[in-house]
Amino acid sequence: MIAIEGLSKNFTTANNRITAVDDLTLDIREGDIFGVIGYSGAGKSTFVRLLNRLEEPSDGKVVIDNQEITALNADDLRVTRQEIGMIFQHFNLLWSRTVKDNIAFPLEIAGVPKRERESRVQELIDLVGLDGREQAYPSQLSGGQKQRVGIARALANKPKVLLCDEATSALDPETTNAILDLLVGINKRLGLTIIIITHEMHVIRKICKQVAVMEAGKIVEQGDVLDVFLRPKQQVTKKFVEQVMGTDDEDDGVDDLAHTYDRGKIIRLHFVGETANQALISQVAKTFNIDINILQGKITRMQHGAYGTLFVQMDGAPDEMDRALRYITDETSVEVEVVRDVE
């Protein structure tokens, strides 16, 4: 669907030359919700603006649905942009226009007849949950409602791709979750390819299927969201995962707690995907003649499965504990690590 090859963007100042996006190559599948995450200054916002040529690339090419965006002249680009919707962190609404007129604006620019325009606007108002707010002005709306207007406006011309540049960064957590749920629903209903630019791992965890991590203008890590959570390779990725799953300090707390037990084993169980939904602890306790105490853990839901770690203390006859551990290792996809073994 989207093929990006050798994409670069350089800015020249009076004193030096800044490379905001550095030789970036990436493929995004049709219908995916693809996340690009990075800290401020990583180049992610410049990257997303290169996709529809709000910024002109210094080098490289972007192909969307077999059309090379970077090769289009100004007139063809204007038409093609109608197939690429975009929503922004600060909404970018027309403050002198009502909700209805804001959504209608891109349809007016595209020359859509009035009757068809009005029908499409009402359809979008219903889609994003703004029924009854058609005549309100942006100043009369909450942050979440403003972003719903922005989403509806971006969908007005029935785009194939939706670009979201920090679309939830100005919203509170509850509103953020509501907007993310709306985007997931739009993706499923319309089959729209969505690219999410963010610095929040919560956003990636909640709705994305694939993720790319940017640092200093480059993609330093990418892959399935579950895989990246499970085995982050780069230090910047590990920091993002810690936003959701906590830090190594929590493991230290488990170690302190573990020293209150003078026998048995301290086990770390690592859950990935649908195994997080299994009643593993009760199943093992019923099957084997052992005692299991849960010390600490955290499991978080993602768009396609779950990810988490559970620390337990296991006590019983050594051979029975070994049988239980072999069962977990051989019969499930849960990863097992013996943290401490007290004989």
Side-chain angles (χ1 to χ4, degrees):
M1 173 60 174
I2 302 177
I4 302 157
E5 183 180 335
L7 193 63
S8 296
K9 177 63 180 181
N10 303 314
F11 294 98
T12 302
T13 67
N15 298 320
N16 58 4
R17 183 170 176 266
I18 300 170
T19 300
V21 175
D22 190 359
D23 194 24
L24 192 150
T25 296
L26 189 65
D27 290 317
I28 299 172
R29 298 174 303 205
E30 184 176 3
D32 259 4
I33 302 180
F34 192 101
V36 178
I37 191 168
Y39 289 111
S40 296
K44 58 190 187 297
S45 289
T46 301
F47 161 69
V48 78
R49 292 170 64 86
L50 290 171
L51 296 183
N52 58 3
R53 280 176 60 187
L54 288 177
E55 291 283 357
E56 287 293 334
S58 302
D59 199 4
K61 66 179 182 178
V62 176
V63 178
I64 299 179
D65 199 23
N66 297 317
Q67 185 171 44
E68 187 176 343
I69 304 299
T70 41
L72 297 177
N73 61 37
D75 290 337
D76 290 338
L77 177 61
R78 194 174 300 112
V79 173
T80 298
R81 276 187 181 145
Q82 295 178 12
E83 299 182 341
I84 308 172
M86 189 165 185
I87 57 177
F88 305 87
Q89 178 179 1
H90 297 295
F91 321 124
N92 286 17
L93 301 181
L94 300 170
W95 294 89
S96 62
R97 283 181 169 241
T98 63
V99 166
K100 182 178 178 180
D101 291 340
N102 262 282
I103 298 171
F105 184 66
L107 297 171
E108 294 174 20
I109 299 298
V112 176
K114 183 176 181 180
R115 181 174 296 180
E116 182 181 341
R117 194 164 68 226
E118 290 181 348
S119 175
R120 177 62 176 161
V121 168
Q122 189 56 52
E123 178 185 337
L124 289 165
I125 285 173
D126 293 340
L127 177 65
V128 301
L130 286 173
D131 190 42
R133 304 295 286 164
E134 294 92 333
Q135 300 304 321
Y137 287 89
S139 61
Q140 299 171 310
L141 303 176
S142 67
Q145 289 172 330
K146 291 172 188 173
Q147 196 56 284
R148 288 174 187 269
V149 177
I151 292 170
R153 181 185 59 187
L155 297 176
N157 283 308
K158 300 182 180 179
K160 298 175 182 177
V161 177
L162 181 62
L163 308 178
C164 306
D165 187 9
E166 298 281 9
T168 61
S169 295
L171 305 177
D172 62 75
E174 184 176 351
T175 306
T176 291
N177 284 331
I179 293 298
L180 295 178
D181 287 340
L182 175 61
L183 291 174
V184 170
I186 289 169
N187 170 257
K188 291 178 178 177
R189 180 171 175 176
L190 305 180
L192 198 63
T193 303
I194 300 178
I195 300 175
I196 302 280
I197 303 298
T198 185
H199 65 275
E200 299 172 299
M201 201 60 176
H202 164 72
V203 173
I204 301 296
R205 172 193 69 80
K206 187 171 176 64
I207 72 170
C208 294
K209 301 174 184 177
Q210 298 280 317
V211 63
V213 182
M214 284 192 71
E215 187 176 31
K218 293 180 177 289
I219 289 180
V220 296
E221 193 163 351
Q222 70 180 91
D224 181 86
V225 171
L226 272 174
D227 291 339
V228 170
F229 263 72
L230 177 60
R231 296 183 181 87
K233 298 180 179 64
Q234 302 297 321
Q235 188 60 39
V236 63
T237 312
K238 292 176 182 177
K239 289 181 180 178
F240 280 124
V241 171
E242 287 174 2
Q243 288 182 5
V244 176
M245 295 308 298
T247 68
D248 292 338
D249 293 340
E250 295 178 1
D251 291 0
D252 294 339
V254 170
D255 190 57
D256 292 340
L257 181 60
H259 280 89
T260 65
Y261 296 92
D262 58 2
R263 61 183 186 178
K265 299 177 186 289
I266 307 301
I267 311 294
R268 185 203 306 259
L269 301 175
H270 200 72
F271 296 81
V272 180
E274 293 308 317
T275 58
N277 297 327
Q278 297 175 0
L280 179 65
I281 301 302
S282 61
Q283 185 178 350
V284 171
K286 291 175 182 177
T287 305
F288 302 93
N289 187 25
I290 57 174
D291 295 322
I292 299 182
N293 297 307
I294 296 175
L295 304 181
Q296 180 174 298
K298 184 175 183 180
I299 295 175
T300 184
R301 292 294 306 173
M302 299 186 192
Q303 183 64 15
H304 296 279
Y307 169 94
T309 299
L310 191 64
F311 290 90
V312 301
Q313 184 254 354
M314 183 181 294
D315 190 20
D319 59 340
E320 194 71 357
M321 288 191 290
D322 289 342
R323 286 181 59 225
L325 293 177
R326 282 198 301 273
Y327 169 81
I328 297 172
T329 302
D330 296 342
E331 301 299 329
T332 77
S333 58
V334 176
E335 296 183 6
V336 177
E337 178 189 353
V338 178
V339 177
R340 186 163 169 264
D341 194 346
V342 181
E343 296 297 340

